[in-house]
Amino acid sequence: MFAPWSGVFLADMLLRRCSYDTDALGAGRTGAYWYRSGYHPAGMTALLTGLVFAALTCDSELWTGPLVAPLGGADLTPLGAVVSGLAYWALTHRTTRLSTAH
């Protein structure tokens, strides 16, 4: 389930144009990226959205999601990155660019 995480990460990099405040990244509780107790609510929501999508469309020996059969047996797990990336963009695109101006 690496795909949903990578979707959020890549969307954040694109929104910020790969420009992060390196001092704030390591500042912990006082840093700009601490959000709420160290978790970004929009990021967690997007990650969970991608994970749910991936679980519903996964076709493996251990688990077959309920949407696999209606999709003709297609395993769409890698698209969890797209789903989580789009969800993250939808939740943060108005505020992320502003927060990079440190």
Side-chain angles (χ1 to χ4, degrees):
M1 298 290 182
F2 181 72
W5 174 85
S6 64
V8 172
F9 180 71
L10 291 173
D12 190 67
M13 286 183 64
L14 289 172
L15 285 168
R16 296 177 193 274
R17 295 181 178 98
C18 296
S19 177
Y20 291 92
D21 180 351
T22 54
D23 292 330
L25 282 170
R29 295 176 190 268
T30 60
Y33 305 108
W34 186 253
Y35 301 107
R36 291 191 183 153
S37 299
Y39 294 97
H40 188 205
M44 292 301 291
T45 301
L47 177 63
L48 290 173
T49 301
L51 286 171
V52 167
F53 176 84
L56 292 173
T57 60
C58 178
D59 186 18
S60 70
E61 292 181 18
L62 298 175
W63 168 258
T64 300
L67 296 182
V68 172
L71 293 170
D75 181 359
L76 300 180
T77 305
L79 290 180
V82 175
V83 170
S84 64
L86 289 174
Y88 185 76
W89 178 84
L91 293 168
T92 64
H93 76 282
R94 291 185 182 152
T95 58
T96 301
R97 287 189 193 124
L98 298 173
S99 67
T100 60
H102 296 287

